[in-house]
Amino acid sequence: MVLKSILVGGDGLPQLSPGQWCQVAVASIAYTYAVVAFAVALELTTLGSAFILSNMTSLVIIAGRFLMGLPTLKLEGYGALIGFTGAVICASDTPTTLTNDEEVTATSTNSMVLGNIISFSSSISAAIYFITAKEFRASMDLFVFMFLIMMFGCFFLFFYMILTGEVLTYDMHPDHGIFGWLNLSADRLPLEVYIALVCNLIGTVGYVAAMK
């Protein structure tokens, strides 16, 4: 699709200024951070808290518009209120796994608080990504834009894993190989294809396409 957009009936390679290329990089960093932050939060807090707090992007955008004095529709305000109420409920959630004394330890509580904060920071980062993506939709083909976002994101994630000391091998190991997703087991290549087609193509690309 990317080659077709560039070579066949598309706009060709995007003609962007150095500043605009920097904005594309910022959008890619924001997208990558949003995804990584959600994955990290899953290790610290409950699935429900991580999912809801990392999907409050619309609330963040509306709150930002309100703080900047921009007009906000009444229904948008109601939606923001409902979202904030859900965030409060999730943030006050407690771990489901108890100690032998059936008491929540201070460590687990602190981990959940940190996980909730990281989850919400994912929403803020996603808001930055979507705002930037909307700006570039007018000057760049959709699939070319998404290809650049994903390509930059792969490099950013690769360097992040190196800097944080993650176990990383250059083979097809199913757990830490960078080509491990090519394994034919049900939880690798088939799952990756599903994520690529449904979550990324229909979900992520569709979201950006709808903003036009």
Side-chain angles (χ1 to χ4, degrees):
M1 289 185 179
V2 175
L3 292 177
K4 181 179 179 181
S5 298
I6 295 176
L7 301 176
V8 184
D11 299 325
L13 292 173
Q15 303 297 318
L16 303 177
S17 66
Q20 288 177 314
W21 280 110
C22 288
Q23 287 181 295
V24 172
V26 169
S28 183
I29 292 174
Y31 176 83
T32 305
Y33 176 86
V35 174
V36 173
F38 174 70
V40 172
L42 288 176
E43 301 294 327
L44 301 172
T45 188
T46 62
L47 175 61
S49 295
F51 180 80
I52 294 180
L53 291 173
S54 63
N55 282 279
M56 298 183 66
T57 306
S58 299
L59 173 60
V60 172
I61 294 175
I62 292 173
R65 290 173 55 187
F66 177 78
L67 292 175
M68 295 174 63
L70 299 176
T72 302
L73 298 178
K74 182 181 294 185
L75 288 179
E76 290 177 331
Y78 290 152
L81 179 61
I82 294 173
F84 178 76
T85 303
V88 172
I89 295 174
C90 286
S92 62
D93 194 10
T94 56
T96 56
T97 302
L98 300 179
T99 63
N100 293 332
D101 296 330
E102 296 188 351
E103 294 179 355
V104 178
T105 65
T107 301
S108 61
T109 301
N110 292 337
S111 295
M112 285 202 63
V113 172
L114 178 60
N116 290 337
I117 293 174
I118 294 175
S119 297
F120 187 66
S121 72
S122 173
S123 290
I124 297 175
S125 185
I128 295 174
Y129 161 70
F130 282 123
I131 292 172
T132 307
K134 182 175 177 62
E135 178 181 345
F136 277 99
R137 280 294 289 116
S139 59
M140 187 184 302
D141 178 85
L142 172 63
F143 289 103
V144 174
F145 173 77
M146 292 307 306
F147 173 78
L148 292 175
I149 292 296
M150 297 299 177
M151 181 184 68
F152 284 139
C154 287
F155 285 108
F156 293 143
L157 182 58
F158 177 72
F159 289 123
Y160 167 80
M161 294 178 69
I162 293 177
L163 291 175
T164 56
E166 289 284 337
V167 178
L168 182 65
T169 56
Y170 303 92
D171 53 26
M172 292 180 59
H173 190 283
D175 296 324
H176 49 71
I178 60 175
F179 302 109
W181 57 275
L182 289 173
N183 283 279
L184 297 179
S185 58
D187 61 344
R188 289 299 182 268
L189 184 58
L191 183 60
E192 183 67 24
V193 171
Y194 172 82
I195 292 175
L197 294 179
V198 178
C199 299
N200 289 340
L201 183 60
I202 299 178
T204 305
V205 178
Y207 198 116
V208 176
M211 290 192 297
K212 186 175 183 180

